[in-house]
Amino acid sequence: MTLKIAIVGRPNVGKSTLFNRLVGRKVAIVHDKPGVTRDRREASAKLQNLKLQVIDTAGYEYSNEDNLEKRMWEQTQKAIREADVSLFLFDARDGLQPYDEHLAGLLRQSGKPVVLLANKCEGKLQEDSIHEAYKLGLGTPIPFSAEHGLGLLDLYDALKPFDRKPAENVLPEEDGETENEALSREEKDR
């Protein structure tokens, strides 16, 4: 089975960089200017033996008005609803911002699993931000660098429990026996 993940966070935290890293090619535009990603984008990816369907979302900028930001947020909400797991990125260089805390609250309310990634952790300077992230209530933050590929094994370990592969020892459904049950029955029949 394929695990569907949504990459969410405020603008310019590295969502599209992570999307490109997982997909294995530059599909999403990456720029230092915030707000470049305006539409959600989906692609198939693989992380070790996990098959993924990855959704890159626009940066979280909440708005009640009928404008581009509201439509971007609606697409992000849709991605969260469709996903099995959300990857919530925050910029560990900048530390937590009010939008990070607000989005964390919305993710908790969704009832969906969340993996918290402290992105842009290329050195020791980001340790304070990593510890500060515990207050988001989303579990242990994973030190990560989407740009350099640091933390991918930790991300794999965090996603692995959500993988919904079918049981390996099950025969076709019309029979319904496991391989061990079939072997036991054959031995009894001898």
Side-chain angles (χ1 to χ4, degrees):
M1 301 275 309
T2 301
L3 185 63
K4 195 167 200 174
I5 59 174
I7 303 173
V8 298
R10 63 184 168 80
N12 224 31
V13 295
K15 296 179 303 298
S16 293
T17 302
L18 175 57
F19 178 83
N20 288 341
R21 169 79 53 192
L22 293 173
V23 171
R25 61 190 189 284
K26 291 187 177 185
V27 177
I29 298 170
V30 176
H31 198 282
D32 289 340
K33 179 184 173 188
V36 171
T37 304
R38 295 181 179 232
D39 294 315
R40 62 187 234 161
R41 180 181 310 268
E42 276 190 56
S44 297
K46 194 168 182 185
L47 182 60
Q48 302 287 342
N49 64 343
L50 292 177
K51 290 182 182 179
L52 305 173
Q53 185 68 25
V54 185
I55 307 169
D56 184 22
T57 64
Y60 170 66
E61 293 185 69
Y62 184 78
S63 177
N64 282 326
E65 298 175 25
D66 188 20
N67 56 19
L68 179 61
E69 286 79 16
K70 182 178 181 183
R71 289 188 294 279
M72 289 165 45
W73 171 235
E74 288 169 348
Q75 284 298 310
T76 298
Q77 288 177 306
K78 183 177 179 185
I80 293 168
R81 282 191 306 271
E82 291 176 1
D84 300 307
V85 180
S86 291
L87 302 182
F88 177 37
L89 269 72
F90 74 95
D91 185 332
R93 290 181 193 159
D94 290 346
L96 291 182
Q97 303 295 313
Y99 268 140
D100 294 321
E101 294 179 36
H102 190 239
L103 180 55
L106 295 170
L107 285 167
R108 284 193 308 272
Q109 289 173 6
S110 77
K112 296 280 187 113
V114 178
V115 175
L116 181 60
L117 298 174
N119 197 28
K120 303 182 184 180
C121 277
E122 291 87 11
K124 294 274 185 202
L125 296 174
Q126 292 77 27
E127 284 186 20
D128 289 341
S129 293
I130 293 170
H131 296 298
E132 180 185 24
Y134 281 96
K135 76 178 185 178
L136 295 175
L138 296 173
T140 302
I142 297 172
F144 200 79
S145 173
E147 184 175 355
H148 300 290
L150 303 174
L152 286 171
L153 287 177
D154 293 327
L155 176 58
Y156 169 80
D157 289 340
L159 290 174
K160 185 69 176 154
F162 303 109
D163 188 23
R164 303 172 302 175
K165 287 185 182 173
E168 291 180 23
N169 292 333
V170 176
L171 296 175
E173 276 190 37
E174 66 268 0
D175 194 328
E177 291 181 306
T178 65
E179 189 175 323
N180 290 337
E181 291 170 336
L183 290 173
S184 294
R185 183 181 41 76
E186 287 175 15
E187 284 181 19
K188 288 179 187 176
D189 292 344
R190 287 189 203 164

